[in-house]
Amino acid sequence: MTKTVEARKARSVEEVEALLARPLLELVFDAARVHREHHDPTRVQCSQLLSIKTGGCPEDCGYCSQSAHFDTPVKREPLMQLAEVVDAARTAKANGADRFCMGAAWREVKDGPEFERVLAMVREVKSLGLETCVTLGMLEPKQAAKLRDAGLDYYNHNLDTGKSHYGEIVHTRTLDDRLATLDAVRAAGIHVCSGGILGMGESRFARAELLHQLATLAPQPESVPINALVPVEGTPLAEQQRLDWTELVRAVAAARILMPRAVVRLSAGRTEMHEAAQALCFLAGANSIFVGDELLTTPNPTPSSDAALFAKLGLEPVENRRPASEHCRDHAV
Ligand code: SAM
Ligand code: DTB
Ligand code: SF4
């Protein structure tokens, strides 16, 4: 039996926790081997984010700068105009991004002129030759179908954290609500982008629960963002102690082993990670990042520092106009 076939055997949450607990360099070595079986390890997919509607969100996600429940430095902004968004997407493409991801601080999508404007944004961004992604909160099947018809490639909807920790972080929705939206996205034939946030005071077991849940989605997500918490003043997690970088590397490596075909994104939190830690994440199977000075409301490493890092590591961005990623066929964890 090959290593990859072994990796596809069904695993329990406890087995995923044991995977996370392996000697770090052994874990990274095995993840790197799986990575090379399924991906070109020199290529990194680059997404650019834009917050198209900022702040004032009715949800109470304890990590988020945009929740109306907390007094944070983020200023509320209404939904952007179509032309401004298209301009930003054009600039992102010129700067080397291959996917443009538009985020709205909504609890859920509501039918009406604002949703129609988002559909127009998807159509226009797609016509620039960029892959399209949106993250708009909860979604009904009919709305997912409209997004697909507009040309949406990916819908980002994270599972936040492990089941046992969920109630500590969010009180205004459940993990099952998140899963229902992922079902609607999948049923519409849109690629699923789903991951979570690490470093919110969760145990390693909770991180195993999150990875297990993602890896048992059938089919598995095509794109898996692994975010490290960016602590934001005014949120309940503002003073949260930072997760040790090795735990992030472990999570990336485990995600790679459990979801061999997925694109694993080293997402929020890179400004606080030194280059060597990021390099170990790329070795362990991360093959995507967010590019540009800003994530949604918080800073990201500058394009020049990312270019320097890529040059040192011999990494290259995937080209614009690359076809949407292949579907994952690995159903077992
Ligand atoms: N409202 C939509 C939703 O929650 O799905 C879309 C926007 S929301 C800001 C997108 C994702 O950003 C969240 O699911 C979360 O994983 C991530 N995120 C938000 N604040 C973060 C923070 N402070 N640190 C790390 N990731 C964060
Ligand atoms: C994801 O997993 N991370 C991105 C994107 N999907 C939407 C968002 C990160 C946000 C970090 C905090 C901020 O900038 O507000
Ligand atoms: Fe709203 Fe999304 Fe922030 Fe939660 S993460 S408060 S749903 S914008």
Side-chain angles (χ1 to χ4, degrees):
M1 203 192 293
T2 69
K3 279 279 165 203
T4 310
V5 174
E6 278 176 43
R8 286 184 195 162
K9 281 190 311 195
R11 293 184 207 234
S12 62
V13 176
E14 288 72 18
E15 283 169 312
V16 175
E17 190 185 20
L19 183 66
L20 288 172
R22 289 190 60 210
L24 181 67
L25 300 183
E26 295 296 302
L27 176 61
V28 169
F29 184 82
D30 283 349
R33 193 159 42 194
V34 173
H35 188 42
R36 276 152 180 71
E37 282 177 27
H38 296 274
H39 304 269
D40 176 349
T42 67
R43 293 278 169 173
V44 179
Q45 186 273 320
C46 296
S47 290
Q48 168 99 42
L49 281 165
L50 178 67
S51 182
I52 57 170
K53 186 269 165 184
T54 307
C57 181
E59 299 268 32
D60 74 347
C61 313
Y63 48 81
C64 189
S65 64
Q66 304 197 66
S67 167
H69 295 257
F70 318 128
D71 184 12
T72 76
V74 167
K75 217 174 102 234
R76 293 184 189 195
E77 302 279 356
L79 184 65
M80 288 173 71
Q81 294 304 320
L82 176 61
E84 295 175 273
V85 173
V86 176
D87 275 354
R90 209 174 270 119
T91 307
K93 186 178 180 194
N95 291 338
D98 58 278
R99 188 177 308 161
F100 195 65
C101 180
M102 296 162 270
W106 285 336
R107 176 173 199 270
E108 74 252 295
V109 170
K110 296 193 175 103
D111 292 322
E114 293 208 328
F115 183 44
E116 293 303 317
R117 202 190 301 167
V118 172
L119 294 172
M121 291 173 189
V122 172
R123 278 191 290 271
E124 297 270 326
V125 171
K126 181 82 175 166
S127 74
L128 298 176
L130 280 160
E131 287 188 334
T132 53
C133 175
V134 293
T135 180
L136 310 171
M138 289 184 267
L139 202 60
E140 296 295 332
K142 274 191 186 151
Q143 298 165 330
K146 284 187 179 174
L147 285 164
R148 176 205 55 217
D149 293 344
L152 187 71
D153 294 307
Y154 289 81
Y155 195 85
N156 168 243
H157 201 65
N158 292 337
L159 296 185
D160 303 310
T161 189
K163 200 173 177 177
S164 62
H165 195 59
Y166 205 87
E168 302 287 315
I169 303 297
V170 188
H171 312 95
T172 49
R173 61 159 185 263
T174 63
L175 188 50
D176 283 345
D177 291 331
R178 295 302 263 189
L179 293 168
T181 291
L182 291 184
D183 283 346
V185 170
R186 184 57 84 193
I190 300 166
H191 291 128
V192 168
C193 173
S194 189
I197 309 177
L198 311 185
M200 300 196 293
E202 76 282 352
S203 59
R204 200 182 257 171
F205 179 78
R207 286 194 283 282
E209 285 180 313
L210 170 67
L211 291 168
H212 183 266
Q213 184 109 52
L214 290 166
T216 44
L217 293 172
Q220 293 183 334
E222 283 78 17
S223 166
V224 178
I226 305 284
N227 296 276
L229 174 73
V230 180
V232 176
E233 190 191 324
T235 63
L237 294 174
E239 302 302 326
Q240 182 63 48
Q241 202 192 337
R242 247 181 74 199
L243 188 68
D244 191 79
W245 63 272
T246 54
E247 289 301 315
L248 197 64
V249 176
R250 287 177 188 282
V252 166
R256 170 51 65 227
I257 290 170
L258 297 169
M259 294 172 274
R261 289 176 195 270
V263 169
V264 175
R265 184 171 307 113
L266 184 57
S267 301
R270 286 196 305 117
T271 47
E272 299 304 314
M273 282 182 88
H274 49 78
E275 288 190 339
Q278 292 187 58
L280 210 50
C281 288
F282 291 124
L283 181 65
N287 58 350
S288 169
I289 56 169
F290 287 120
V291 293
D293 292 307
E294 261 209 312
L295 293 165
L296 290 173
T297 67
T298 65
N300 195 43
T302 61
S304 60
S305 65
D306 278 341
L309 179 61
F310 275 31
K312 285 183 207 181
L313 303 181
L315 297 175
E316 284 188 59
V318 299
E319 295 99 42
N320 285 320
R321 304 241 45 168
R322 160 183 160 275
S325 296
E326 59 283 349
H327 278 273
C328 301
R329 281 170 291 275
D330 310 284
H331 293 194
V333 188

